[in-house]
Amino acid sequence: MSSLSTAVRGLFRNPALLTLILVALVWLVASFSLRGFGAYGHLRYLLELAAVIGIVAAGQTLVIIMGGIDLSVGAVITVTAIMLPLISPGWDATGLIGIVGALAIATGIGLVNGAGAAFLRVPPIIMTLAMATFLQGLLVIVAGGSAVSVTNKAVIWLGSARPLGIPAGIILWILVSVAVLVLLHRMPMGVRFLALGANPVAARLSGVSVVRNTLLLYALSGFFAGLAGTLILGMNRQGYVGIGDPYLLMSIAAVVLGGTSILGGKGSYAGTIPGAILLVTTTALITVVNASPGWRSIMFGSLILALLLISGREARR
């Protein structure tokens, strides 16, 4: 009996595994309860949607682990989805130049966020919120209320191709996941990120560069948000103002749901992955039961609030 209780306590101390088990249980119950939910095509579609959240949440995970937060990811996604078609001229046959240009813009926005936090000492929540507001206003001026259709061949391929029956977006998410997990757990800089989040003063006294790491992580956050924007553009075939707005809250929720402390210094992208899947699955179930948009927002917001409170309580222990 004592060994069972020890195993249960160990499970609750591993949020990533707990979230993964919860995803499996929800999928199992829903597959038996709802007709068609467990079909391969439907589960594949859910993973495609989770891939978008998972990719943008990759950068959010890194930033939050270091003790920051990026409230501009939704705006960066929208910038990418609108600017990419505009910077893909007719002579760009493969479409790769347009993608590189859009990702460079997204990464540059992240660098500006990092510079504001590192050099000007602006709190990250204020810096990134101001950046998001600025970008939203700029996009309204540039694009107005009209949608921009994509003709970029590489983007269209990314949103529709299924190599070996697997959507390209899911393959992209797998590659991002491997890269982030290696960065966090197999490279020295991963230890530095965690150290900065746990105790920035001690980390700085130990020789860890706050400025360099802050710039790097916010640049990566911008890059991953741009990558998610590229994938969304390929899936929707058009970009418009506000297309990235839902992914701000979802990216933070996926990170916290995966066990990463919102206060920094503790967590892993291994938890964010099932966290993104669980969010998409929950949203799908709410849609199936025909809940109104208002109730969806209430339920989703309540879930995020509860997770934030739990995360903050664990960090104070």
Side-chain angles (χ1 to χ4, degrees):
M1 188 69 178
S2 60
S3 60
L4 178 60
S5 60
T6 302
V8 173
R9 284 197 299 269
L11 177 62
F12 277 92
R13 290 172 185 169
N14 189 337
L17 180 58
L18 185 61
T19 306
L20 184 59
I21 292 175
L22 184 57
V23 168
L25 289 175
V26 171
W27 276 25
L28 186 63
V29 173
S31 297
F32 282 103
S33 304
L34 301 173
R35 184 179 180 182
F37 186 93
Y40 170 73
H42 183 254
L43 295 181
R44 184 182 63 186
Y45 174 67
L46 291 181
L47 287 178
E48 280 189 88
L49 297 180
V52 178
I53 300 174
I55 291 173
V56 67
Q60 195 74 266
T61 301
L62 294 173
V63 169
I64 290 177
I65 280 178
M66 197 191 64
I69 196 167
D70 191 349
L71 300 184
S72 68
V73 293
V76 173
I77 289 174
T78 303
V79 166
T80 305
I82 290 179
M83 294 303 297
L84 201 159
L86 298 179
I87 59 177
S88 293
W91 50 263
D92 184 12
T94 63
L96 294 178
I97 296 177
I99 292 178
V100 171
L103 291 179
I105 292 173
T107 305
I109 294 172
L111 272 174
V112 174
N113 283 331
F119 293 115
L120 302 180
R121 303 293 178 87
V122 179
I125 191 172
I126 301 299
M127 182 65 205
T128 56
L129 180 61
M131 177 60 74
T133 305
F134 170 81
L135 292 175
Q136 288 170 351
L138 182 63
L139 288 171
V140 170
I141 294 175
V142 172
S146 60
V148 181
S149 299
V150 62
T151 57
N152 187 304
K153 294 180 180 179
V155 174
I156 294 173
W157 181 90
L158 183 62
S160 59
R162 285 177 168 75
L164 301 176
I166 304 174
I170 296 178
I171 296 176
L172 179 63
W173 187 22
I174 292 173
L175 295 176
V176 168
S177 300
V178 171
V180 173
L181 289 172
V182 169
L183 177 66
L184 277 176
H185 303 293
R186 291 293 183 266
M187 298 180 69
M189 64 179 64
V191 178
R192 300 189 193 111
F193 300 156
L194 288 165
L196 284 170
N199 194 326
V201 176
R204 185 168 60 249
L205 293 176
S206 300
V208 178
S209 173
V210 177
V211 172
R212 183 166 59 247
N213 286 284
T214 300
L215 290 174
L216 173 61
L217 288 184
Y218 278 97
L220 285 174
S221 181
F223 173 80
F224 286 128
L227 203 58
T230 304
L231 179 56
I232 293 171
L233 180 62
M235 294 169 67
N236 290 345
R237 301 294 179 91
Q238 63 178 7
Y240 53 87
V241 175
I243 191 173
D245 291 351
Y247 297 96
L248 167 59
L249 213 53
M250 286 188 174
S251 69
I252 298 174
V255 173
V256 177
L257 188 57
T260 297
S261 171
I262 196 68
L263 301 179
K266 176 185 176 183
S268 171
Y269 186 65
T272 303
I273 295 170
I277 298 173
L278 184 58
L279 277 176
V280 170
T281 304
T282 303
T283 304
L285 291 176
I286 293 174
T287 303
V288 168
V289 298
N290 293 323
S292 66
W295 277 109
R296 292 181 201 174
S297 298
I298 291 174
M299 295 169 69
F300 191 65
S302 299
L303 173 63
I304 294 174
L305 181 60
L307 292 171
L308 292 175
L309 292 175
I310 293 172
S311 175
R313 181 179 178 184
E314 289 179 350
R316 291 191 296 269
R317 287 180 178 176

